[in-house]
Amino acid sequence: MATDLHYSDALITGILRRVRTIAMVGASPNWKRPSNFAMKYLQEKGFRVIPVNPRAAAAGASILGEKARASLEEVPAPVEMVDVFRASEAALGITREAIRLRAEKGFDVVWMQLGVRNDEAAAEAEAAGLTVIMNRCPKIEYGRLWGELGWGGFDSGVISSRWPRPAKGGGRSG
Amino acid sequence: MSEDETQTPASGPGPDWGFETRMIHAGAGPDPTSGARQTPIHQTSAYAFHDADHAASLFNLQTFGFIYSRLGNPTVATLEERIASLEGGRGATCAASGHAAQVLAFFPLIEAGERFAASTRLYGGSVTQFSRTFPKFDWRCDFVDTEDLSAVEAVLAQGAKALFVESLANPGGVVTDLEALSGLTRAAGALLIVDNTLATPWLCRPFEWGADLIVHSATKFLSGNGTVIGGAVVDSGRFDWSASGRFPGLSEPEPAYHGLKFSETFGDLAFTVHSHAVGLRDLGASMAPMNAFLTLLGTETLALRMERHCRNSLAVAEWLTGHPKVEWVSHAGLPTSPYRELAEKYLPNGAGAVFTFGVRGGYEAGVRVVEKCELFSHLANIGDARSLIIHPASTTHRQLTDEQRAAAGAGPEVVRLSIGLETVDDLVRDLDQALAAA
Ligand SMILES: Cc1ncc(COP(=O)(O)O)c(C=O)c1O
């Protein structure tokens, strides 16, 4: 990989607070697949996650209670974030589709999963005004920044002596 | 306070925080419900579920959270994050003892009938664990002189899947060339596992030299007051289990989780998730929350204590070097030590506080020095605020053969010291009268 990617905690936090709906390209109906794990977790945290999976869509299937869609084109607006759960090579086509549909769907962020990186796609998306995150998992980042990752014994890198007020209703919103 | 502020999670420089800051703060913000600033002792066996779906998510490992304290506990998790941060690792799993952590480290890696290699210069209990008890699981250990790199290469070529060494070896004065060894393990597709107990992450950080896993006995300097039995295994998160294919425990379907593949689903979190969800679940050697709490208190002052431990120990070692009843002193901080260069490279903050010396008069004289001490405590431990003394050949290394004892630096004349935080002149006076009486 070219250079190390660095995203500030403030940038990631801002995205995860602002985004309500995520189109997850490559979401799997198989509960043991990483995409299904991530989708379930993000749903629990109050995100709406719309699966994009042509095969599941052709079969008329739902994934974790959400109807599968064949393409980004078919995702109902508004959707703020496109989460690319596909191989790095596939990210360019998906990103170009996201750029094309940007105004219509409300896309604001293209997020490529842990292990997925496509610098060409990122450059095009950023030139089009989209925010790009690569090689990160929104589930892990959410867990890390909202204090849950440490429950599993992981280093979150987060240090703070502030005591935030509890959320209204206990959700993510804010 | 605006709603924005209430929900903004902490965001800071993260990995850029200094070591001393992380000693005190890593893993431990104010308690979310009470505001308690010191980490609460979560003395509970089990945790409530919100509903059946939440329970299912937890049991399927789909969400972060607690089920039962054999698998995880908030106080223990705070210590795990603290140790992972101090070592620069991805995650850590605490265990009931250092020895339990060693079992936990090998458990996902070695299948029945498979081999790993270990240095001949190890804590005697580790030699016994690997050579006597592990064979009952059909795990086979080849001991190798890790200063002979071609011997290490040969044992790796014969199929050893991991190499286990101590960064600063017990009973003392020996520094291991971690960078050279990690080059060999990487080339062989094997793991380098480093017991960093004697050094602590303040003196040495083995991940910076290519180690894959680190184990600790938290019983020693991490807790620091002789209060706790505890251990930890830390994962660097850098070994690619899926690409390797040699570690099916992490890369192949796990029957106990409906065929989940840990490395595929959890990426660089796989080892630590597995250590909790399978290792602690089935081996059961979990750390008690009270022990995690005491170890957390210890880590808060780790750098300060290690500085004083090292300074006192070098002063005692220098004094012993000139004593007529002392044959030799093995302390890597001494200018005469053959490990001086390695110590400067791997232990720039100090060469540790556990070391050995040889008494003229052999076994009998060694035993007598120990018995004549007034201030030094005669006991089988290291890494206490109190100074400790022992005669390894008759105690900690007693189970070994003569050859194993010699290889481990625990011959008949050897006395081991673990230097504490007392007034250094008092330590010297006590040793002086004990040597005179021996
Ligand atoms: C270097 C080293 N590793 C491991 C252990 C084992 O740790 P525990 O006694 O906590 O099981 C010890 C204990 O003396 C040790 O000195």
Side-chain angles (χ1 to χ4, degrees), chain B residues 63-411:
Chain B
T63 193
F64 303 108
F66 300 101
I67 299 173
Y68 187 67
S69 285
R70 172 154 34 83
L71 313 177
N73 168 281
T75 311
V76 177
T78 301
L79 177 61
E80 291 170 337
E81 181 168 0
R82 173 95 33 102
I83 293 173
S85 170
L86 295 179
E87 286 289 10
R90 189 72 181 104
T93 311
C94 282
S97 68
H99 263 23
Q102 291 171 192
V103 178
L104 214 52
F106 285 109
F107 174 65
L109 310 178
I110 311 291
E111 307 295 323
E114 292 185 333
R115 317 191 73 82
F116 69 98
S119 169
T120 48
R121 294 176 189 80
L122 292 185
Y123 162 57
S126 298
V127 174
T128 309
Q129 184 188 44
F130 296 168
S131 61
R132 302 271 171 240
T133 292
F134 279 12
K136 298 190 177 185
F137 313 147
D138 207 8
W139 296 351
R140 303 289 162 175
C141 178
D142 301 303
F143 289 93
V144 61
D145 175 0
T146 51
E147 289 172 15
D148 179 350
L149 295 183
S150 55
V152 173
E153 247 179 322
V155 80
L156 291 171
Q158 284 156 22
K161 293 175 76 182
L163 174 65
F164 184 99
V165 301
E166 293 178 9
S167 47
L168 180 59
N170 187 355
V174 172
V175 184
T176 303
D177 193 349
L178 300 178
E179 194 174 23
L181 294 174
S182 73
L184 297 182
T185 52
R186 200 173 317 113
L191 274 89
L192 180 62
I193 307 176
V194 177
D195 182 339
N196 203 31
T197 298
L198 265 65
T200 79
W202 172 246
L203 299 180
C204 177
R205 282 177 299 283
F207 290 149
E208 294 174 6
W209 304 107
D212 300 290
L213 297 176
I214 292 172
V215 295
H216 274 284
S217 168
T219 313
K220 321 299 181 186
F221 295 100
L222 285 183
S223 54
N225 292 83
T227 51
V228 159
I229 296 289
V233 50
V234 194
D235 176 31
S236 66
R238 289 195 301 240
F239 199 90
D240 189 339
W241 313 104
S242 300
S244 157
R246 285 184 89 193
F247 299 92
L250 289 160
S251 64
E252 293 307 307
E254 166 63 45
Y257 281 98
H258 311 282
L260 190 79
K261 295 177 184 170
F262 275 75
S263 60
E264 180 185 86
T265 300
F266 298 109
D268 66 353
L269 310 178
F271 185 92
T272 300
V273 173
H274 189 281
S275 290
H276 288 88
V278 184
L280 287 178
R281 186 197 61 184
D282 292 351
L283 298 168
S286 315
M287 179 182 268
M290 184 67 186
N291 286 354
F293 176 76
L294 291 169
T295 309
L296 282 164
L297 288 188
T299 62
E300 291 190 3
T301 55
L302 181 65
L304 281 176
R305 289 185 291 106
M306 291 314 289
E307 272 173 30
R308 182 62 66 88
H309 275 297
C310 288
R311 181 158 26 114
N312 280 359
S313 112
L314 191 57
V316 172
E318 280 165 353
W319 176 80
L320 282 169
T321 303
H323 197 283
K325 285 207 171 160
V326 172
E327 256 179 82
W328 52 263
V329 180
S330 173
H331 187 299
L334 291 173
T336 49
S337 167
Y339 297 99
R340 179 71 190 257
E341 259 180 52
L342 289 174
E344 278 169 3
K345 173 171 175 175
Y346 293 110
L347 305 158
N349 288 338
V354 178
F355 68 96
T356 51
F357 66 95
V359 198
R360 284 187 208 288
Y363 194 97
E364 304 307 326
V367 170
R368 274 199 307 277
V369 172
V370 168
E371 287 178 340
K372 295 288 179 194
C373 279
E374 196 62 48
L375 181 58
F376 278 78
S377 304
H378 178 195
L379 54 79
N381 196 16
I382 54 171
D384 195 325
R386 275 150 283 276
S387 290
L388 314 174
I389 189 165
I390 202 158
H391 181 240
S394 58
T395 56
T396 52
H397 288 65
R398 189 185 186 91
Q399 269 78 23
L400 306 191
T401 63
D402 287 346
E403 301 80 64
Q404 282 178 319
R405 268 197 292 271

